[in-house]
Amino acid sequence: MTSQPLRSRNWFGRQDLDGFAHRSWVKSEGFSDHVFDGRPVIGVANSWSELTNCNAHLRQVAEAVKRGVWSAGGFPLEFPTISLGEVLMKPTTMLFRNLMAMDVEECLRAYPLDAAVLLSGCDKTTPAMLMGAASADVPAIMVTGGPMLRGNWRQEELGSGTDLWRLWGERRAGRLTDEELCEAESCMSRSAGHCMVMGTASTMASMAETLGMTLPGNAAIPAPDSRRLQMAELAGRRAVEMASAGGPRPSAILTANAFDNAIRALMAIGGSTNAVIHLVALAGRVGVPLPLARFDELSRTTPFVLNVRPSGKYLMEDFFYAGGLPVVLRALLPLLDGAAPTVNGRSLADNVGDARNWNEDVIRPLGVPLAAEGGLAILHGNLCPGGAVIKVSAASPQLLTHRGRAVVFEDHADLHRRIDDPGVAIDETSVLVLKQAGPKGAPGMPEWGAAPVPARLLKKGVKDMVRISDARMSGTSYGTVVLHVAPESAVGGPLALVRDGDEIQLDVPRRTLTLEVAEAELGRRRAAWTPRPPHFSRGYGRLFLDHVLQADEGCDFDFLRGRTPVKYEDSAGPSHA
Ligand code: FES
């Protein structure tokens, strides 16, 4: 049935001692001789975990994938990967994204797999799996777990994270009781799935779909919707075809044009700032140069059309009912490379050609966008020589050009200790500066960027302030928040030199971020600056600190960039002790 040799035959097709061992031990699971008849072996890489609530339903999704694999004549073998649960994992899942990518890459290489179906969901699980598959370059198709159903509290629709921050702000301002907050807690997260705003998980699912690594329409199907399982079954069937044909492999799909397409889609949907880091890291795996400037360039000519929180009004469920990502991609086709290949063997344009928009308030037509330009902007200036990112679509328009005096917090603990201290001189014109929150400084570059507005200002009705850090921000957050400042403060970037009272000028239309301090004075501060001791001296943390790249380079490890494609003879050598 196959059109080219299968890697798995080097394990299961051998008539020698190794072949005996490989088959015999797999038979211990109850499989009969039929599974060794030359059919493709499909790995179902599952990031299921009860500690990753967003992925807790992926065992069921895996069953649907396996059903598809069996029905198409393949042999599915499900295996666990490490899983990164955004909410429970400390200090941040970003510390472990590269570890998960390594896990996925090495399992794809080490096991007898002809193709893989990648099951992801929560924020970092999607880029980690894509990065691992890209480096191993095994034919792979992704199925994400889908967003939760809408939250609903007292007739009010609640979005994950986005409304959490809002309700918590109300509580701090004294307008909500603890009892009301507790009730809202249950009403916000009411089904399986990942955050159901256009946060990082929804964004990365949309990126995977635009890049061509999922079947069309995958990103927005709600987790509990039966069509999610149907799509999983179809992905399993398609993986068998890909294994038999030997492709397409990720290297054939993840081209420079595919990344441009993804950036366009990112801007059109008002996606998460985290996607900038993940796309740069993924591009690094396949040798595609992706400077931050490319994001800004494409942002300026891509309309922002998706009316979904945190940059809009609706939720992911509404996006699905409106037609989902294919509608956005179809509208964007004049700006995209429609000939880009995708995992189903068709081009991007072919996949979305029939998409219809069922709700033009959720997905605005290109001619009446929410904004003429994309949702993200890249900043440069003496405060961020390596660049910084701001989500314009989630910022306050009146703060996009702002000059104010810095109020500096030396680290996250300092921020939380003093933000509500009446002795700290802060008003609505202040610029909150947070240090030690980058890849090495925090460590792991947590989502601390949307620092809280002081309670006394919240009570006065101030909802937003300019905030600057080397941290990331949750894709569900909003506000005038400058992120990913590079180089970070922990390695002596200019952010480390900012002091209370310094004037900072943010000018988003001009794409600049300027510390208004004379270079001679900065030189004196630089000479006096000393780094803090490293967070780790051993283990994975040490590996991370020694090799993590800065935000503008995607925070990948320096030695993980590029590919080591699997080979037909990967099973060579001792396999059984
Ligand atoms: Fe998993 Fe938001 S916590 S996607």
Side-chain angles (χ1 to χ4, degrees), residues 54 86-87 122-123 194-195 201:
C54 308
E86 199 61 33
V87 171
C122 199
D123 295 11
H194 58 68
C195 293

Side-chain angles (χ1 to χ4, degrees), residues 121 159 191 202 220 259 263 265-266 323 341 363 485 501 504 511 521 530 548:
S191 82
S202 300
F259 282 99
I263 295 170
L266 175 66
I363 308 172
V485 167
I504 294 177
R511 303 295 199 255
E521 169 61 13
T530 50
V548 72

